[in-house]
């Protein structure tokens, strides 16, 4: 976890060194809807030029039911191409990848397992930036998720973790600087 946090801050500092003249080319965002469904997603986006940007996306996953509990940490990256507007504002298409790892516990038989996996996504969206710096980002698309349990005995031998092609919908709020 310390390595992920360090990587995030080093990446933010490196991206800030490429700042464009007279433009606020950085955006930091949080996806509040993700937290309702067990995933806290953060994002730091930096405009590379008028039409493209990159972002670093750390995440925390958490879910607890009466029988199952998991927690994950992840780090992702995304490239955006803005074809209407000027990065980081306007209509865009995006592609991203990520990696997650963590632990899972099945409380009925007290079995545990580590969990890890990757995801890839293709999105289409629009990001609005107001004069105050407030940012609203809406996007949707598809994602491929492939998570694996390490344990091969107990409850984790019977259950498959989340894998497959799924829809992706995001609403993020943030600040442009």
């Amino acid at each position: 976890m310390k390595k992920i946090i360090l990587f995030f801050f080093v990446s933010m500092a490196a991206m800030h060194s490429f700042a464009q003249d007279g433009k606020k080319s950085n955006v930091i965002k949080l996806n509040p809807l993700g937290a309702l469904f067990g995933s806290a997603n953060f994002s730091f986006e930096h405009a590379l030029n008028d039409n493209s940007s990159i972002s670093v996306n750390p995440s925390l996953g958490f879910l607890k039911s009466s029988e199952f509990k998991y927690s994950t940490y992840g780090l992702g990256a995304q490239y955006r191409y803005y074809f209407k507007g000027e990065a980081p504002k306007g209509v865009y298409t995006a592609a991203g990848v990520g990696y997650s790892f963590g632990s899972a516990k099945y409380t009925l038989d007290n079995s545990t397992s580590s969990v890890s996996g990757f995801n890839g996504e293709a999105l289409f969206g629009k990001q609005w930036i107001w004069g105050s710096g407030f940012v609203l980002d809406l996007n949707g698309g598809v994602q491929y998720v492939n998570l694996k349990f390490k344990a091969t005995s107990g409850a984790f031998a019977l259950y498959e973790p989340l894998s497959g092609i799924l829809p992706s919908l995001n609403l993020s709020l943030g600040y442009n600087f």
Side-chain angles (χ1 to χ4, degrees):
M1 180 64 182
K2 291 178 185 177
K3 290 180 183 178
I4 290 175
I5 293 170
L6 178 63
F7 177 78
F8 175 69
F9 285 113
V10 168
S11 298
M12 283 180 35
M15 287 183 206
H16 189 67
S17 68
F18 295 108
Q20 299 170 349
D21 295 331
K23 282 180 54 178
K24 293 181 178 179
S25 58
N26 299 308
V27 175
I28 190 158
K29 296 178 280 192
L30 170 67
N31 181 352
L33 291 180
L36 295 175
F37 296 103
S39 178
N41 302 308
F42 306 96
S43 178
F44 175 77
E45 180 180 358
H46 175 75
L48 299 172
N49 55 43
D50 288 344
N51 297 103
S52 63
S53 71
I54 58 172
S55 66
V56 176
N57 312 311
S59 64
L60 301 170
F62 45 90
L63 180 65
K64 184 177 182 180
S65 70
S66 60
E67 301 167 354
F68 185 73
K69 178 182 174 182
Y70 87 91
S71 60
T72 59
Y73 307 96
L75 186 63
Q78 187 181 80
Y79 172 80
R80 289 184 175 189
Y81 179 78
Y82 288 84
F83 51 89
K84 186 172 183 184
E86 186 174 327
K89 178 180 178 180
V91 178
Y92 63 86
T93 186
V97 295
Y99 181 78
S100 298
F101 61 93
S103 62
K105 181 176 183 177
Y106 188 66
T107 57
L108 292 181
D109 68 359
N110 214 23
S111 58
T112 61
S113 177
S114 62
V115 60
S116 64
F118 67 92
N119 72 295
E121 63 185 357
L123 303 169
F124 178 79
K126 182 168 183 178
Q127 184 160 269
W128 293 269
I129 299 176
W130 282 268
S132 65
F134 178 76
V135 174
L136 173 63
D137 184 10
L138 295 171
N139 64 54
V142 296
Q143 63 179 328
Y144 175 74
V145 177
N146 185 3
L147 293 174
K148 302 256 186 235
F149 292 132
K150 186 174 183 180
T152 57
S153 62
F156 294 101
L158 302 174
Y159 295 103
E160 274 295 313
L162 182 64
S163 292
I165 297 174
L166 302 167
S168 178
L169 297 171
N170 298 291
L171 176 142
S172 296
L173 305 173
Y175 183 72
N176 175 233
F177 60 98

